[in-house]
Amino acid sequence: MTIADTFAFALFAVTILSLMAGYPVAFTLAGSALFVGGVGWLFGVFELSLLGAIPSRIFGIAMWNETLLAVPLFIFMGIMLEKSRVAEELLAAMGALFGNLRGGLGISVIVVGALLAASTGIVGAAVVTMGLMSLPTMLNKGYDPRLAAGSICAAGTLGQIIPPSIVLIILAEQVSNAYVAAQSLQGNWSPEPVSVGDLFAGALFPGLILVGLYIFYQFAIAWLKPESSPAVPMETTTGSGIKLFPLLLRSLLPPVILIIAVLGSILLGIATPTEAASVGAIGAILLASLRRGGRETWLLYAAGISVFALLILANFVDLKGIATEGIGLAAVFAFLLLTLIIAGLMLALLRLYQSRILSEVCQSTMEMSAMVFVILIGATIFSLVFRGLGGDDLVYRLLSDLPGGRFGALLAVMIVIFLLGFFLDFVEITFVVVPVVAPVLLLMDISPIWLGIMIAMNLQTSFLTPPFGFALFYLRGVAPPEVTTGVIYRGAIPFVLLQLAALGLLAAFPALATWLPHYLNGGG
């Protein structure tokens, strides 16, 4: 091992130890890199001139990257839906629908978790919301505390893998950069980049399989241990069966339409992820305003229908080319739809501003977006110094020398990411670890889409794994005193095993992640 390799190891070790000590992530990444790079310069193993590339790299990544603009828009969408009590109505509707079944409340929690994942994608918010509303009800109805706690934690983490997911957006950017770098090393200077839509499509089947495993587990426990998950009569949740259909219609239809509009427009190629995220943000504003009630509600419904109609129109007509082709029937129809959308949006924003929800959502969005982009800048500096110290060559040698070839290298990376997930957030792992290991793995002829989904599901598993899973801490913060930390840990373990089983299925059958993107891209 050369002295440069020693410095590369030291940089990684100093960064991980500093993060575990609780120092701010972005400043730790940049500070550790600059410190170790400076010491490396004194020893003659690092060129300070490399740091001159930092401004251009930051400008290119954070300023000119259209894909990353989707991050604050999806964050805004998720927080707005969290404030609009969507989860509360979904839980009431699903509880009424499945309550007569043994294990029905547990199934309801899983279904609501999947719907919230597809509409909000914010793990902490989902776990806390369902913990506050579902956990007391499940305990009062005689559910095993371990099963109740594990169900809520597992359902809350689905936002990591079910699109549209913030994790997948960030991962797509890093995996795409790594794939382009790997292809250039192999002599391919114009590779097809990996898009956010590819990862969204690739995550769809694995996410649904995971939801299916969770629901199957609820059925199995209800059959094997009926006392752990008793049936809850419908009347105790809705008051009467007559109210069930209107409740389902009101609670399910708007979020499902929003999910179809956002995710469908991306998968079908109607809109880019950034454009679809803006549609999601508009839909969340309209939905949150509808939940507030008031006059002129018809205008909000008309605006929501107009958004959906405009997406359908965009699938058949090139709306961007209308300005050059002249005014036609499609242009007039699009103008009328836009007028309704703008009018409904103005009314919705006024209502949300008066109720002070808008300011809270904007502030939370700004804080979370700033955190992501500051970490991105710190990770850019870290990656530049790490490569300047020859760290990428060191990682390639280490992974290439592992027994088992490609499988051994992938297994080692998955284990490292799983263990780091105990201590670090997914943003930190994505920005620090993925740029280092992904190019090496992709040089081994591994599908970038499959690799991205494997990493995403691995990160989701680490969110749930005792003793440091973030989802467990989120639930512990809102759980009643009788639900101890030990109860939450024991309840989460079966769901961790289910996630590992799903990860194993994905590893054994890569087509689960690669078939749909290939089909949507015209592969047949």
Side-chain angles (χ1 to χ4, degrees):
M1 181 181 294
T2 65
I3 187 172
D5 293 341
T6 304
F7 272 93
F9 263 121
L11 173 56
F12 212 87
V14 169
T15 302
I16 297 297
L17 291 174
S18 300
L19 290 173
M20 292 173 61
Y23 288 101
V25 179
F27 305 120
T28 295
L29 293 174
S32 300
L34 293 175
F35 172 75
V36 174
V39 177
W41 172 72
L42 293 176
F43 281 82
V45 296
F46 181 76
E47 291 291 336
L48 287 180
S49 58
L50 291 174
L51 298 180
I54 290 176
S56 60
R57 292 187 66 170
I58 292 175
F59 192 82
I61 292 173
M63 300 297 179
W64 282 99
N65 194 319
E66 184 180 340
T67 301
L68 289 180
L69 286 177
V71 172
L73 290 170
F74 275 124
I75 291 174
F76 178 90
M77 170 184 164
I79 297 175
M80 183 63 78
L81 289 175
E82 178 197 351
K83 301 289 185 182
S84 66
R85 300 174 61 189
V86 171
E88 184 176 339
E89 292 196 359
L90 282 174
L91 283 168
M94 291 297 102
L97 185 62
F98 294 108
N100 287 326
L101 296 173
R102 282 207 308 255
L105 280 182
I107 296 171
S108 302
V109 166
I110 301 301
V111 173
V112 171
L115 290 172
L116 288 179
S119 54
T120 65
I122 302 175
V123 171
V127 173
V128 170
T129 301
M130 291 194 294
L132 288 170
M133 292 185 295
S134 299
L135 187 56
T137 302
M138 297 177 79
L139 296 177
N140 291 336
K141 301 305 177 183
Y143 266 68
D144 187 323
R146 292 172 297 180
L147 179 62
S151 301
I152 291 171
C153 288
T157 60
L158 289 172
Q160 294 281 95
I161 189 66
I162 294 181
S165 163
I166 305 298
V167 179
L168 294 177
I169 295 173
I170 299 174
L171 261 177
E173 179 67 22
Q174 299 302 315
V175 170
S176 180
N177 292 339
Y179 180 66
V180 170
Q183 288 294 299
S184 64
L185 290 175
Q186 293 177 329
N188 181 8
W189 297 102
S190 57
E192 189 70 26
V194 180
S195 68
V196 175
D198 290 336
L199 249 63
F200 279 5
L204 199 56
F205 286 154
L208 294 176
I209 288 172
L210 196 56
V211 173
L213 288 175
Y214 288 170
I215 293 176
F216 175 78
Y217 176 72
Q218 295 286 346
F219 273 121
I221 290 296
W223 181 63
L224 295 172
K225 297 180 179 179
E227 71 282 358
S228 67
S229 48
V232 180
M234 186 183 300
E235 287 76 13
T236 65
T237 56
T238 62
S240 69
I242 300 175
K243 297 179 182 179
L244 177 58
F245 181 74
L247 180 62
L248 285 173
L249 192 64
R250 171 182 168 82
S251 59
L252 275 179
L253 194 58
V256 169
I257 291 177
L258 183 61
I259 292 167
I260 293 174
V262 174
L263 191 55
S265 62
I266 296 175
L267 297 182
L268 296 177
I270 300 174
T272 66
T274 304
E275 293 167 346
S278 64
V279 170
I282 291 173
I285 291 171
L286 296 174
L287 188 55
S289 180
L290 278 172
R291 293 290 189 269
R292 303 298 301 173
R295 301 174 61 184
E296 286 83 33
T297 303
W298 66 269
L299 185 56
L300 300 178
Y301 282 110
I305 294 171
S306 298
V307 171
F308 203 69
L310 197 61
L311 287 174
I312 296 175
L313 182 63
N315 192 37
F316 297 99
V317 180
D318 181 14
L319 297 179
K320 296 179 180 178
I322 284 178
T324 58
E325 295 174 3
I327 298 177
L329 183 60
V332 173
F333 188 45
F335 177 78
L336 292 176
L337 293 176
L338 282 173
T339 302
L340 283 174
I341 293 171
I342 293 172
L345 191 59
M346 295 300 293
L347 174 62
L349 289 173
L350 179 61
R351 285 185 180 181
L352 296 175
Y353 175 76
Q354 291 173 342
S355 61
R356 301 195 177 185
I357 290 178
L358 185 61
S359 59
E360 294 177 11
V361 172
C362 288
Q363 182 174 345
S364 299
T365 302
M366 181 185 66
E367 291 172 355
M368 293 186 66
S369 301
M371 177 198 72
V372 170
F373 282 97
V374 172
I375 292 175
L376 173 59
I377 292 173
T380 300
I381 299 173
F382 174 89
S383 176
L384 182 64
V385 174
F386 188 75
R387 285 187 167 85
L389 292 169
D392 48 349
D393 294 330
L394 173 63
V395 172
Y396 179 77
R397 293 198 305 271
L398 289 174
L399 293 179
S400 300
D401 294 340
L402 287 174
R406 181 175 65 177
F407 175 79
L410 181 62
L411 179 62
V413 170
M414 290 294 113
I415 292 174
V416 170
I417 291 177
F418 179 78
L419 295 176
L420 288 177
F422 291 170
F423 311 102
L424 305 180
D425 189 67
F426 73 88
V427 179
E428 301 152 18
I429 294 176
T430 303
F431 283 144
V432 175
V433 180
V434 174
V436 173
V437 300
V440 179
L441 292 175
L442 294 175
L443 282 172
M444 300 178 181
D445 197 27
I446 290 176
S447 166
I449 297 174
W450 179 55
L451 177 62
I453 305 305
M454 287 281 290
I455 293 173
M457 188 169 284
N458 195 347
L459 289 173
Q460 181 193 0
T461 305
S462 66
F463 249 82
L464 193 59
T465 306
F468 302 112
F470 288 105
L472 310 180
F473 292 148
Y474 292 143
L475 184 61
R476 174 64 273 176
V478 298
E482 62 268 23
V483 181
T484 63
T485 302
V487 168
I488 296 175
Y489 284 179
R490 290 194 295 273
I493 289 174
F495 291 94
V496 173
L497 297 177
L498 289 173
Q499 286 191 326
L500 292 176
L503 190 60
L505 281 174
L506 182 59
F509 303 101
L512 291 172
T514 58
W515 177 83
L516 186 57
H518 180 68
Y519 177 81
L520 293 176
N521 288 328

